Amino acid sequence: MYRMLSGHCLTRSWFLRTFKHSEGSRTVVNVSSLLAVKPFKAWGMYAMAKSGRDMLFSVIAAEEPAVAVLNYAPGPLDTAMQAEVRRSLCDEEQRSLYASMHVDGKLVTADASAKILIKLICAKNFTSGAHVDYYDCI
């Protein structure tokens, strides 16, 4: 909950106020997840936080039409968090899924996802407030 509120407070108060009269466009990116829009077993609290942040940033998009807001789901990234999921997630089916994705080389590198995000932002190829997944763009 703290992260959700701190992101909103930072975005609404500092960022938007500081850059209100700046030249050029303003873009805010919320790092989201497929779990924000699709339920998976054993991910309830994480999914709730991610979906709540998506809605919060969608509201910012509605309130601040001059700001481009993107809820970007970077894909299943090959990170330390992903390694911990493969090691300790309480649902065997999910653990097996992520383990096989890792073995088969199907996890997304942070670099590959960041390149897609940069292209998306530069092309302004999204509706403000929308949820866009890495796999929507490749």
Side-chain angles (χ1 to χ4, degrees), residues 70-114:
L70 174 62
N71 292 303
Y72 178 69
L77 297 177
D78 193 4
T79 62
M81 178 185 159
Q82 178 54 236
E84 181 63 27
V85 165
R86 294 190 307 270
R87 203 171 24 260
S88 64
L89 191 66
C90 65
D91 183 73
E92 176 60 35
E93 182 182 348
Q94 289 286 305
R95 258 196 343 268
S96 295
L97 170 70
Y98 292 118
S100 66
M101 288 176 78
H102 178 30
V103 169
D104 296 341
K106 292 185 177 177
L107 294 176
V108 179
T109 67
D111 187 56
S113 188

Side-chain angles (χ1 to χ4, degrees), residues 14-25:
W14 182 82
F15 179 82
L16 294 177
R17 199 172 47 234
T18 300
F19 296 101
K20 185 172 187 85
H21 300 292
S22 64
E23 293 182 26
S25 62

Side-chain angles (χ1 to χ4, degrees), residues 33-48 76 89-91 93-94 97-98 101 133:
S33 171
L34 177 62
L35 290 155
V37 296
K38 183 174 180 183
F40 286 87
K41 292 187 286 185
W43 286 95
M45 295 300 285
Y46 184 83
M48 180 186 67
L89 191 66
C90 65
D91 183 73
E93 182 182 348
Q94 289 286 305
L97 170 70
Y98 292 118
M101 288 176 78
D133 191 273

Side-chain angles (χ1 to χ4, degrees), residues 27 29-31 70-74 110-124 126 132 134 137:
T27 302
V29 177
N30 170 41
V31 178
L70 174 62
N71 292 303
Y72 178 69
D111 187 56
S113 188
K115 286 177 182 173
I116 292 293
L117 174 59
I118 291 167
K119 285 181 185 176
L120 192 60
I121 292 170
C122 290
K124 297 181 173 140
F126 60 92
V132 178
Y134 169 83
C137 302

